[in-house]
Amino acid sequence: AQKVTQAQTEISVVEKEDVTLDCVYETRDTTYYLFWYKQPPSGELVFLIRRNSFDEQNEISGRYSWNFQKSTSSFNFTITASQVVDSAVYFCALSGRGYGGATNKLIFGTGTLLAVQP
Amino acid sequence: GAVVSQHPSWVICKSGTSVKIECRSLDFQATTMFWYRQFPKQSLMLMATSNEGSKATYEQGVEKDKFLINHASLTLSTLTVTSAHPEDSSFYICSARTGKNSNQPQHFGDGTRLSIL
């Protein structure tokens, strides 16, 4: 079975602080994909990053960075120098390979609400 | 790129009304579209997966006669909530993906807030 756990329900930080959002996943697939999405108060989900299971290189994009560790089945997301506009719910998601043309679903975590105070 | 448009954004209607929600991929062809439901402060719950030209695959517990899905073209999928009741009030979100393989990200519409009085 596939599962994504985001143990942090809510995090509150003050602007300019760094914050790390945790994501732990479970899967028996050897090939899988991990995603992070942002859902601001307006409701739309914004795609942030995709990582495949064979690529353990960490990635940095501006103030965002992601740490993928297969050994601990984690795919954590760090925002440095947080800003008020970062306030949103962040979802981590997992998808398997989808053999034989089968459509494969995204399994979402329960999300972490990040509140950045000015 | 990868813009998904969902319409309408808000719907308020009386109990018993049927409501149609449209999901369009504006700048790419979406072989696969997904419909989710999200309750306040909860995660997204997948309702169904639809591939263009074929019947939708519904998740366990989702009534296919209640939530009719049509994916008639590579850029349009519709969800019709038939004879809606207050318990159907929720935030409905569609997503679209090119191809059937899960290595491609899903791109989401802005969602539809449905309120049944």
Side-chain angles (χ1 to χ4, degrees), chain A residues 1-22:
Chain A
Q2 296 180 323
K3 184 179 178 182
V4 176
T5 300
Q6 293 179 257
Q8 305 150 308
T9 307
E10 295 186 30
I11 301 176
S12 182
V13 299
V14 177
E15 212 170 15
K16 297 185 182 177
E17 282 185 27
D18 298 347
V19 59
T20 295
L21 310 181
D22 297 333

PDB file of all heavy atoms in Angstrom, chain A residues 1-22:
ATOM      1  N   ALA A   1       0.845  -1.191   0.000  1.00  0.00           N
ATOM      2  CA  ALA A   1       0.000   0.000   0.000  1.00  0.00           C
ATOM      3  C   ALA A   1       0.881   1.241   0.000  1.00  0.00           C
ATOM      4  O   ALA A   1       2.006   1.210   0.495  1.00  0.00           O
ATOM      5  CB  ALA A   1      -0.907  -0.007   1.224  1.00  0.00           C
ATOM      6  N   GLN A   2       0.353   2.299  -0.549  1.00  0.00           N
ATOM      7  CA  GLN A   2       1.091   3.552  -0.586  1.00  0.00           C
ATOM      8  C   GLN A   2       0.493   4.519   0.417  1.00  0.00           C
ATOM      9  O   GLN A   2      -0.727   4.588   0.585  1.00  0.00           O
ATOM     10  CB  GLN A   2       1.024   4.159  -1.988  1.00  0.00           C
ATOM     11  CG  GLN A   2       1.694   3.298  -3.040  1.00  0.00           C
ATOM     12  CD  GLN A   2       1.628   3.909  -4.419  1.00  0.00           C
ATOM     13  OE1 GLN A   2       0.631   4.520  -4.766  1.00  0.00           O
ATOM     14  NE2 GLN A   2       2.669   3.761  -5.195  1.00  0.00           N
ATOM     15  N   LYS A   3       1.361   5.270   1.054  1.00  0.00           N
ATOM     16  CA  LYS A   3       0.898   6.194   2.086  1.00  0.00           C
ATOM     17  C   LYS A   3       1.857   7.362   2.191  1.00  0.00           C
ATOM     18  O   LYS A   3       3.070   7.204   2.011  1.00  0.00           O
ATOM     19  CB  LYS A   3       0.826   5.463   3.434  1.00  0.00           C
ATOM     20  CG  LYS A   3       0.262   6.274   4.580  1.00  0.00           C
ATOM     21  CD  LYS A   3       0.232   5.434   5.855  1.00  0.00           C
ATOM     22  CE  LYS A   3      -0.278   6.240   7.034  1.00  0.00           C
ATOM     23  NZ  LYS A   3      -0.270   5.453   8.285  1.00  0.00           N
ATOM     24  N   VAL A   4       1.310   8.522   2.475  1.00  0.00           N
ATOM     25  CA  VAL A   4       2.130   9.716   2.701  1.00  0.00           C
ATOM     26  C   VAL A   4       1.744  10.305   4.044  1.00  0.00           C
ATOM     27  O   VAL A   4       0.560  10.517   4.308  1.00  0.00           O
ATOM     28  CB  VAL A   4       1.905  10.753   1.582  1.00  0.00           C
ATOM     29  CG1 VAL A   4       2.676  12.027   1.886  1.00  0.00           C
ATOM     30  CG2 VAL A   4       2.323  10.185   0.235  1.00  0.00           C
ATOM     31  N   THR A   5       2.737  10.580   4.871  1.00  0.00           N
ATOM     32  CA  THR A   5       2.479  11.117   6.197  1.00  0.00           C
ATOM     33  C   THR A   5       3.136  12.489   6.343  1.00  0.00           C
ATOM     34  O   THR A   5       4.337  12.642   6.130  1.00  0.00           O
ATOM     35  CB  THR A   5       3.026  10.185   7.290  1.00  0.00           C
ATOM     36  OG1 THR A   5       2.392   8.913   7.164  1.00  0.00           O
ATOM     37  CG2 THR A   5       2.738  10.742   8.676  1.00  0.00           C
ATOM     38  N   GLN A   6       2.321  13.447   6.660  1.00  0.00           N
ATOM     39  CA  GLN A   6       2.818  14.783   7.005  1.00  0.00           C
ATOM     40  C   GLN A   6       2.424  15.012   8.453  1.00  0.00           C
ATOM     41  O   GLN A   6       1.297  15.371   8.751  1.00  0.00           O
ATOM     42  CB  GLN A   6       2.218  15.853   6.092  1.00  0.00           C
ATOM     43  CG  GLN A   6       2.674  15.726   4.642  1.00  0.00           C
ATOM     44  CD  GLN A   6       2.046  16.774   3.745  1.00  0.00           C
ATOM     45  OE1 GLN A   6       1.118  16.490   3.001  1.00  0.00           O
ATOM     46  NE2 GLN A   6       2.563  17.992   3.826  1.00  0.00           N
ATOM     47  N   ALA A   7       3.347  14.755   9.333  1.00  0.00           N
ATOM     48  CA  ALA A   7       3.032  14.747  10.757  1.00  0.00           C
ATOM     49  C   ALA A   7       2.727  16.143  11.310  1.00  0.00           C
ATOM     50  O   ALA A   7       1.992  16.284  12.287  1.00  0.00           O
ATOM     51  CB  ALA A   7       4.182  14.130  11.542  1.00  0.00           C
ATOM     52  N   GLN A   8       3.271  17.148  10.677  1.00  0.00           N
ATOM     53  CA  GLN A   8       3.042  18.518  11.150  1.00  0.00           C
ATOM     54  C   GLN A   8       1.720  19.035  10.585  1.00  0.00           C
ATOM     55  O   GLN A   8       1.588  19.244   9.390  1.00  0.00           O
ATOM     56  CB  GLN A   8       4.179  19.450  10.706  1.00  0.00           C
ATOM     57  CG  GLN A   8       5.554  18.990  11.124  1.00  0.00           C
ATOM     58  CD  GLN A   8       6.601  19.457  10.106  1.00  0.00           C
ATOM     59  OE1 GLN A   8       6.449  19.226   8.916  1.00  0.00           O
ATOM     60  NE2 GLN A   8       7.654  20.106  10.578  1.00  0.00           N
ATOM     61  N   THR A   9       0.760  19.250  11.467  1.00  0.00           N
ATOM     62  CA  THR A   9      -0.537  19.733  11.009  1.00  0.00           C
ATOM     63  C   THR A   9      -0.474  21.234  10.724  1.00  0.00           C
ATOM     64  O   THR A   9      -0.968  21.707   9.698  1.00  0.00           O
ATOM     65  CB  THR A   9      -1.608  19.458  12.071  1.00  0.00           C
ATOM     66  OG1 THR A   9      -1.554  18.083  12.422  1.00  0.00           O
ATOM     67  CG2 THR A   9      -2.982  19.785  11.557  1.00  0.00           C
ATOM     68  N   GLU A  10       0.122  21.962  11.667  1.00  0.00           N
ATOM     69  CA  GLU A  10       0.229  23.408  11.526  1.00  0.00           C
ATOM     70  C   GLU A  10       1.592  23.865  12.021  1.00  0.00           C
ATOM     71  O   GLU A  10       2.111  23.346  13.009  1.00  0.00           O
ATOM     72  CB  GLU A  10      -0.854  24.130  12.338  1.00  0.00           C
ATOM     73  CG  GLU A  10      -2.265  23.884  11.875  1.00  0.00           C
ATOM     74  CD  GLU A  10      -3.279  24.738  12.625  1.00  0.00           C
ATOM     75  OE1 GLU A  10      -2.918  25.854  13.056  1.00  0.00           O
ATOM     76  OE2 GLU A  10      -4.423  24.293  12.773  1.00  0.00           O
ATOM     77  N   ILE A  11       2.161  24.812  11.314  1.00  0.00           N
ATOM     78  CA  ILE A  11       3.412  25.433  11.742  1.00  0.00           C
ATOM     79  C   ILE A  11       3.244  26.936  11.648  1.00  0.00           C
ATOM     80  O   ILE A  11       2.728  27.452  10.641  1.00  0.00           O
ATOM     81  CB  ILE A  11       4.598  25.009  10.837  1.00  0.00           C
ATOM     82  CG1 ILE A  11       4.798  23.503  10.844  1.00  0.00           C
ATOM     83  CG2 ILE A  11       5.879  25.710  11.297  1.00  0.00           C
ATOM     84  CD1 ILE A  11       5.898  23.042   9.891  1.00  0.00           C
ATOM     85  N   SER A  12       3.693  27.633  12.671  1.00  0.00           N
ATOM     86  CA  SER A  12       3.651  29.084  12.653  1.00  0.00           C
ATOM     87  C   SER A  12       5.061  29.619  12.848  1.00  0.00           C
ATOM     88  O   SER A  12       5.761  29.204  13.775  1.00  0.00           O
ATOM     89  CB  SER A  12       2.731  29.612  13.750  1.00  0.00           C
ATOM     90  OG  SER A  12       2.664  31.025  13.698  1.00  0.00           O
ATOM     91  N   VAL A  13       5.493  30.474  11.955  1.00  0.00           N
ATOM     92  CA  VAL A  13       6.824  31.075  12.061  1.00  0.00           C
ATOM     93  C   VAL A  13       6.685  32.578  11.859  1.00  0.00           C
ATOM     94  O   VAL A  13       5.661  33.077  11.373  1.00  0.00           O
ATOM     95  CB  VAL A  13       7.807  30.492  11.023  1.00  0.00           C
ATOM     96  CG1 VAL A  13       7.988  28.998  11.242  1.00  0.00           C
ATOM     97  CG2 VAL A  13       7.354  30.789   9.605  1.00  0.00           C
ATOM     98  N   VAL A  14       7.754  33.271  12.206  1.00  0.00           N
ATOM     99  CA  VAL A  14       7.819  34.711  11.974  1.00  0.00           C
ATOM    100  C   VAL A  14       8.602  34.940  10.692  1.00  0.00           C
ATOM    101  O   VAL A  14       9.537  34.185  10.376  1.00  0.00           O
ATOM    102  CB  VAL A  14       8.487  35.428  13.163  1.00  0.00           C
ATOM    103  CG1 VAL A  14       8.612  36.921  12.885  1.00  0.00           C
ATOM    104  CG2 VAL A  14       7.688  35.190  14.440  1.00  0.00           C
ATOM    105  N   GLU A  15       8.205  35.944   9.964  1.00  0.00           N
ATOM    106  CA  GLU A  15       8.859  36.248   8.701  1.00  0.00           C
ATOM    107  C   GLU A  15      10.389  36.236   8.844  1.00  0.00           C
ATOM    108  O   GLU A  15      10.930  36.664   9.863  1.00  0.00           O
ATOM    109  CB  GLU A  15       8.401  37.626   8.222  1.00  0.00           C
ATOM    110  CG  GLU A  15       8.342  37.761   6.732  1.00  0.00           C
ATOM    111  CD  GLU A  15       7.657  39.041   6.280  1.00  0.00           C
ATOM    112  OE1 GLU A  15       7.482  39.955   7.114  1.00  0.00           O
ATOM    113  OE2 GLU A  15       7.304  39.111   5.104  1.00  0.00           O
ATOM    114  N   LYS A  16      11.026  35.714   7.818  1.00  0.00           N
ATOM    115  CA  LYS A  16      12.490  35.593   7.697  1.00  0.00           C
ATOM    116  C   LYS A  16      13.046  34.359   8.398  1.00  0.00           C
ATOM    117  O   LYS A  16      14.235  34.063   8.236  1.00  0.00           O
ATOM    118  CB  LYS A  16      13.225  36.843   8.191  1.00  0.00           C
ATOM    119  CG  LYS A  16      12.897  38.091   7.378  1.00  0.00           C
ATOM    120  CD  LYS A  16      13.713  39.284   7.799  1.00  0.00           C
ATOM    121  CE  LYS A  16      13.298  40.512   6.992  1.00  0.00           C
ATOM    122  NZ  LYS A  16      14.014  41.733   7.419  1.00  0.00           N
ATOM    123  N   GLU A  17      12.213  33.660   9.137  1.00  0.00           N
ATOM    124  CA  GLU A  17      12.681  32.392   9.705  1.00  0.00           C
ATOM    125  C   GLU A  17      12.726  31.318   8.629  1.00  0.00           C
ATOM    126  O   GLU A  17      11.971  31.368   7.659  1.00  0.00           O
ATOM    127  CB  GLU A  17      11.735  31.922  10.813  1.00  0.00           C
ATOM    128  CG  GLU A  17      11.890  32.626  12.126  1.00  0.00           C
ATOM    129  CD  GLU A  17      10.996  32.001  13.202  1.00  0.00           C
ATOM    130  OE1 GLU A  17      10.685  30.798  13.108  1.00  0.00           O
ATOM    131  OE2 GLU A  17      10.601  32.721  14.119  1.00  0.00           O
ATOM    132  N   ASP A  18      13.587  30.338   8.817  1.00  0.00           N
ATOM    133  CA  ASP A  18      13.588  29.159   7.955  1.00  0.00           C
ATOM    134  C   ASP A  18      12.612  28.147   8.529  1.00  0.00           C
ATOM    135  O   ASP A  18      12.431  28.055   9.746  1.00  0.00           O
ATOM    136  CB  ASP A  18      14.980  28.539   7.899  1.00  0.00           C
ATOM    137  CG  ASP A  18      16.021  29.476   7.311  1.00  0.00           C
ATOM    138  OD1 ASP A  18      15.635  30.512   6.721  1.00  0.00           O
ATOM    139  OD2 ASP A  18      17.221  29.174   7.446  1.00  0.00           O
ATOM    140  N   VAL A  19      11.988  27.379   7.641  1.00  0.00           N
ATOM    141  CA  VAL A  19      11.031  26.367   8.119  1.00  0.00           C
ATOM    142  C   VAL A  19      11.140  25.129   7.243  1.00  0.00           C
ATOM    143  O   VAL A  19      11.317  25.224   6.025  1.00  0.00           O
ATOM    144  CB  VAL A  19       9.596  26.929   8.109  1.00  0.00           C
ATOM    145  CG1 VAL A  19       9.170  27.378   6.720  1.00  0.00           C
ATOM    146  CG2 VAL A  19       8.612  25.924   8.686  1.00  0.00           C
ATOM    147  N   THR A  20      11.058  23.965   7.877  1.00  0.00           N
ATOM    148  CA  THR A  20      11.109  22.695   7.150  1.00  0.00           C
ATOM    149  C   THR A  20       9.817  21.937   7.343  1.00  0.00           C
ATOM    150  O   THR A  20       9.368  21.737   8.475  1.00  0.00           O
ATOM    151  CB  THR A  20      12.292  21.834   7.622  1.00  0.00           C
ATOM    152  OG1 THR A  20      13.514  22.503   7.281  1.00  0.00           O
ATOM    153  CG2 THR A  20      12.276  20.474   6.931  1.00  0.00           C
ATOM    154  N   LEU A  21       9.239  21.527   6.239  1.00  0.00           N
ATOM    155  CA  LEU A  21       8.016  20.731   6.255  1.00  0.00           C
ATOM    156  C   LEU A  21       8.392  19.278   5.984  1.00  0.00           C
ATOM    157  O   LEU A  21       9.057  18.983   4.996  1.00  0.00           O
ATOM    158  CB  LEU A  21       7.043  21.235   5.176  1.00  0.00           C
ATOM    159  CG  LEU A  21       6.773  22.733   5.157  1.00  0.00           C
ATOM    160  CD1 LEU A  21       5.775  23.085   4.061  1.00  0.00           C
ATOM    161  CD2 LEU A  21       6.278  23.215   6.509  1.00  0.00           C
ATOM    162  N   ASP A  22       7.949  18.406   6.861  1.00  0.00           N
ATOM    163  CA  ASP A  22       8.350  17.004   6.769  1.00  0.00           C
ATOM    164  C   ASP A  22       7.362  16.192   5.932  1.00  0.00           C
ATOM    165  O   ASP A  22       6.157  16.434   5.951  1.00  0.00           O
ATOM    166  CB  ASP A  22       8.433  16.381   8.164  1.00  0.00           C
ATOM    167  CG  ASP A  22       9.488  17.051   9.028  1.00  0.00           C
ATOM    168  OD1 ASP A  22      10.461  17.601   8.466  1.00  0.00           O
ATOM    169  OD2 ASP A  22       9.340  17.032  10.264  1.00  0.00           O
TER     170      ASP A  22
END
